[in-house]
Amino acid sequence: MQPTLRRAGGFALIGTLAVAAPVLGQAAFAPFAGVGIIAAFLITDGPIFELFARPGDRQDGRLNGLAGFALAAAGLAILSTELGLPVSLFVASVLILAYGNLGKRIIAETSDEPFVGTAGFVVTGTFAGVGGQFATATVIGAQPAIPRYVFLATAGALVAALLREMLFERDDPLVMLASGLLLWLFAYLGSDVNPVELSAALAVTAALGFVSYALGTASVAGMLSGVLLSLLVIVLGGFGWFAVVISFFSIGALSTKYKYDEKKKRGIAEENEGARGTENVLGNAAIALLCVICFAASELIPVDPVLFQYAFAGSIAAALSDTLSSELGGLYDNPRLITTLTPVPPGTDGGVTWQGEVFGILGGLIIGIVSFALFPSVGATGSIAIGLAGFLGMTADSILGATIEGDNIGNETVNLAATFIGAILSVGSAITLL
């Protein structure tokens, strides 16, 4: 057995202490605080040190990794007892990370494929998270809610896997705390989970993740971001919302792969063979996710929920409009800078072609049509307004690219601003129409 697998097993064993939280009550933090203190100050060598030591721990002569893990768990326990974080979510957050890491290490014994290892993390973490919530409900005598447990455990495992992909092994305490806090939010928003919709959501998002990675349209981190986004959109919004998102992802991915070799020759191709990363996914879809969250929390927000649908559709319309304009319009010659109309080389930030503008209009209208078909609140005029908002958001993206994009402001930030503008313009049209 590899040392990394033994170490992951040891961390999983420590993480299992969280199951005692419902019994310990206010003292739920104590076992982890004790482990953290012992790891930081008392164990400096011997078999236990060798079991838990990471490379950096050997240099420092103490178990910093274990101490950080245990103290982060103790911190979550205090949030649970003092600030209202449900104890079931505390237990789930600890187990998801501990057993997710173990699942990934078990897979690594036989495969070095990143996607397979990440799948091992998510699947193992999900089962551990469901088990932790069920055990907590059993101890405190609560009525089990399996669909809710599965949704929260899956979302938590995806968040943890994404953060682990973006950070380092030594950042496990940050991953645990962030996952716990986000699970708290998801639990509030997804209080009523339909088992049929959840089953369909899990099947669809799993297939989406596999296909996007297999076709090379997303990196592992990008795949996780897309799957998490899709799961939240389906559960918090519905399949109509998901259809709008998947229209962007699928059409955008195809446009990125279209004539990719020619784009490389012209110097306008996306890096990593067109595989989209987390920054790209969030740059294009963070505003849409915020809209879904606000829609789910609309009881607390004195705003007509329909406006969040329009904002959501407008942001996605801007994203698809910009993607088609860049990916397809960039294949044509004689681009001009949008601010001065002077000729510029292909790939110049803010450079546009008339063909790209036409594709941009088409992208916005596609989202407008999908919204009209699936959102009862969006009429024919509303769908045109969404398409126009998308086109104007794309235009704003080009102007920002020509004026401020550079070393300090990246493409993802400009994309985020453009989708926000698309959302605001769409809401403005909705207020006029409603």
XYZ file of all heavy atoms in Angstrom, residues 5 17 30 45 51 60 71 84-85 124 143 158 160 237 240 273 288 293 299 304 321 358 388 420:
173
model
N -1.897 6.506 0.265
C -3.161 5.824 0.528
C -3.321 5.560 2.019
O -4.407 5.747 2.590
C -3.237 4.519 -0.258
C -4.505 3.681 -0.055
C -5.752 4.502 -0.377
C -4.461 2.417 -0.915
N -14.591 10.840 13.402
C -14.940 11.361 14.733
C -16.139 12.309 14.666
O -16.831 12.508 15.665
C -13.741 12.089 15.343
C -12.510 11.248 15.712
C -11.359 12.157 16.118
C -12.858 10.278 16.830
N -14.432 19.111 20.677
C -13.351 18.647 21.553
C -12.459 17.569 20.934
O -11.219 17.675 21.013
C -13.925 18.174 22.888
N 7.723 12.238 15.866
C 8.324 11.106 15.165
C 7.555 9.847 15.531
O 6.551 9.906 16.234
C 9.825 10.969 15.509
C 10.072 10.845 17.004
O 9.126 10.480 17.748
O 11.206 11.104 17.444
N 2.721 7.880 9.561
C 1.436 7.617 8.921
C 0.822 8.909 8.376
O 0.339 8.951 7.240
C 0.475 6.970 9.922
C -0.987 6.809 9.450
C -1.064 5.885 8.242
C -1.864 6.290 10.588
N 9.317 20.249 8.708
C 9.029 21.050 9.894
C 9.118 20.251 11.186
O 9.182 20.837 12.278
C 7.634 21.662 9.786
C 7.523 22.645 8.617
O 8.570 23.175 8.204
O 6.401 22.852 8.128
N -8.226 21.097 13.218
C -8.668 22.388 13.734
C -9.753 23.003 12.853
O -10.641 23.706 13.346
C -7.478 23.330 13.876
C -6.457 22.921 14.954
C -5.269 23.864 14.949
C -7.113 22.883 16.333
N -25.470 28.033 14.535
C -26.636 27.451 13.889
C -26.390 26.609 12.665
O -27.342 26.174 12.003
N -25.123 26.363 12.298
C -24.865 25.426 11.197
C -25.438 24.068 11.591
O -25.064 23.520 12.636
C -23.359 25.305 10.952
C -22.911 24.211 9.983
C -23.346 24.549 8.560
C -21.395 24.025 10.032
N -17.237 8.758 -3.754
C -16.977 8.348 -2.376
C -17.410 9.426 -1.394
O -18.024 9.135 -0.357
C -15.485 8.046 -2.175
O -15.043 7.140 -3.181
C -15.234 7.422 -0.814
N -36.720 12.797 11.129
C -37.225 12.034 9.988
C -36.231 12.138 8.836
O -35.934 13.241 8.385
C -38.586 12.577 9.549
C -39.239 11.794 8.427
C -39.660 10.399 8.839
O -40.010 10.164 9.996
N -39.619 9.465 7.901
N -18.939 17.938 -5.003
C -18.497 18.667 -6.196
C -17.726 19.931 -5.811
O -16.689 20.253 -6.407
C -19.700 19.031 -7.063
C -20.360 17.870 -7.810
C -21.693 18.301 -8.410
C -19.442 17.341 -8.913
N -16.083 20.444 -2.967
C -14.804 20.031 -2.388
C -13.837 19.553 -3.466
O -12.644 19.886 -3.440
C -15.029 18.932 -1.349
N -33.719 25.934 -9.761
C -34.540 26.606 -10.757
C -35.497 25.653 -11.452
O -36.717 25.777 -11.358
N -36.155 23.955 -17.152
C -36.199 25.046 -18.120
C -34.960 25.918 -18.017
O -34.359 26.294 -19.020
N -6.245 23.165 -26.165
C -7.072 22.496 -27.178
C -8.549 22.838 -27.038
O -9.420 22.031 -27.374
C -6.879 20.963 -27.106
C -5.470 20.512 -27.407
C -5.027 20.892 -28.827
O -5.834 20.710 -29.753
O -3.885 21.367 -28.990
N -25.354 34.163 -14.015
C -26.521 33.282 -14.154
C -26.755 32.490 -12.872
O -27.899 32.336 -12.418
C -26.317 32.332 -15.336
N -29.804 31.589 -7.651
C -29.809 31.634 -6.190
C -30.814 32.669 -5.693
O -31.581 32.411 -4.752
C -28.395 31.933 -5.664
C -27.474 30.731 -5.919
C -28.413 32.275 -4.178
C -26.027 30.971 -5.566
N -38.363 34.592 -1.677
C -39.251 34.915 -0.570
C -38.654 35.990 0.331
O -39.386 36.711 1.023
C -39.550 33.657 0.250
C -40.394 32.622 -0.483
C -40.714 31.432 0.391
O -40.259 31.424 1.559
O -41.422 30.518 -0.069
N -39.896 40.874 -7.948
C -40.662 39.889 -8.712
C -39.701 38.801 -9.212
O -38.729 39.094 -9.910
C -41.338 40.573 -9.892
C -42.296 39.658 -10.642
O -42.203 38.427 -10.471
O -43.121 40.180 -11.418
N -23.704 34.969 -27.220
C -23.480 35.946 -28.281
C -21.992 36.249 -28.426
O -21.444 36.247 -29.535
C -24.258 37.228 -27.963
O -24.111 38.169 -28.990
N -22.949 39.304 -36.876
C -24.130 38.533 -37.263
C -24.253 37.283 -36.390
O -25.345 36.953 -35.902
C -24.065 38.146 -38.757
C -25.189 37.174 -39.107
C -24.141 39.395 -39.631
N -31.672 40.864 -27.780
C -31.045 42.178 -27.957
C -30.117 42.487 -26.781
O -29.013 43.019 -26.977
C -32.125 43.251 -28.072
C -31.625 44.697 -28.240
C -30.778 44.831 -29.503
C -32.801 45.674 -28.263
N -23.068 40.567 -16.934
C -23.812 41.410 -15.992
C -24.597 42.484 -16.749
O -25.762 42.747 -16.442
C -22.845 42.064 -15.001
C -23.500 43.004 -14.029
C -24.279 42.514 -12.998
C -23.359 44.375 -14.171
C -24.906 43.381 -12.098
C -23.977 45.252 -13.286
C -24.745 44.744 -12.244
